[in-house]
Amino acid sequence: LTDDSDGEGGEDTMGSRGSFTAAVVGVAAALKGVDMIIGGQCVNVFCAIRPPGHHAGREVRAMKAISNGFCLLNAAASAALYATAPRSEGGLGLKRVCVIDFDVHHGNGTQDILCSTQDSRFLYVSLHAGGAHINGYEDPGESDDGLYRHSLGTSKNEGIYPGRCGDTSPHEGVLNIPLGQKVTAAA
C-alpha cells in the first residue's frame, strides 16, 4: 500500500493505490461525525466507510489474529481517542465514550487500541458470532509465531475469520457478547 510497506497485514489485507487515502478519509469522516454531535449539529451519525477498521489495532494482527481482515486504520477507535483527548491537545475532552461494535467478527483491533488495559474513559461492547465453532481456530501454542491459525475446512472447529478472540471479557471496560450458534448463514 505504501513504498515502505512490508505487506504483513495478512493475505486478505491488500489494497490499491487509493486504499490508504480511503482509510484516512474514513477516519476523518468519523472525527467529523463526533464534532457534529458534540457541536449540536445532529444527534447521531452513521459513517459508511471502506475499508473497514475494527480489526486494525495498535500493531498489525491485533490480539494475535492471523490477518487484519481488510482493515488499515481504525476509525471508531480514532474517534473515541479524539473525543476523550483533552481540549489542550486538540481533542474534545469527554470523560467517557462507549463504542458498540455489531459485526459477525469480533472487533479485535478496537479492543486492542482502547481496552488492552482497563481505561475508565472507554467502554467497548462487541456483539459478534464468536466461539470456536464459529471462529475456527488452532491453539497458538502449536505454532512457532504464537498466532491463532484459521482452520476453516481443515478441522472439526470450522468457522470464519479472524480467530479466537472476543469469547470473554478481560475486564469491566470490555463487554464481549459472542452470539455463537445464534448466528448462522441463514440469519
Side-chain angles (χ1 to χ4, degrees):
L1 299 177
T2 63
D3 290 339
D4 62 347
S5 174
D6 60 7
E8 289 300 314
E11 291 180 13
D12 66 359
T13 307
M14 298 176 193
S16 66
R17 183 171 298 174
S19 295
F20 187 73
T21 299
V24 169
V25 170
V27 170
L31 301 183
K32 178 67 173 176
V34 171
D35 281 338
M36 291 175 70
I37 291 171
I38 299 303
Q41 296 168 302
C42 57
V43 294
N44 57 46
V45 296
F46 178 81
C47 300
I49 58 174
R50 297 303 277 171
H54 75 163
H55 296 305
R58 293 177 295 160
E59 296 182 13
V60 175
R61 298 179 178 159
M63 297 178 67
K64 298 184 180 180
I66 61 165
S67 175
N68 264 21
F70 307 103
C71 299
L72 303 177
L73 301 174
N74 194 315
S78 296
L81 290 167
Y82 168 64
T84 59
R87 288 189 178 273
S88 63
E89 296 176 12
L92 298 177
L94 299 182
K95 300 246 186 265
R96 190 140 163 95
V97 170
C98 177
V99 174
I100 300 172
D101 184 344
F102 183 80
D103 189 270
V104 71
H105 305 124
H106 174 256
N108 57 311
T110 306
Q111 181 175 321
D112 176 53
I113 291 170
L114 300 179
C115 300
S116 59
T117 60
Q118 188 168 354
D119 184 332
S120 62
R121 297 176 298 165
F122 305 112
L123 173 62
Y124 175 65
V125 179
S126 176
L127 296 128
H128 55 276
H133 62 287
I134 298 293
N135 283 339
Y137 64 89
E138 295 173 11
D139 188 330
E142 297 174 11
S143 67
D144 293 336
D145 56 13
L147 298 175
Y148 285 101
R149 293 287 173 211
H150 181 58
S151 61
L152 179 59
T154 61
S155 76
K156 65 179 181 168
N157 287 333
E158 291 191 16
I160 53 177
Y161 172 80
R164 187 176 187 214
C165 52
D167 293 345
T168 62
S169 299
H171 53 74
E172 64 185 30
V174 176
L175 179 58
N176 282 318
I177 306 171
L179 301 175
Q181 295 179 346
K182 297 174 187 164
V183 178
T184 66

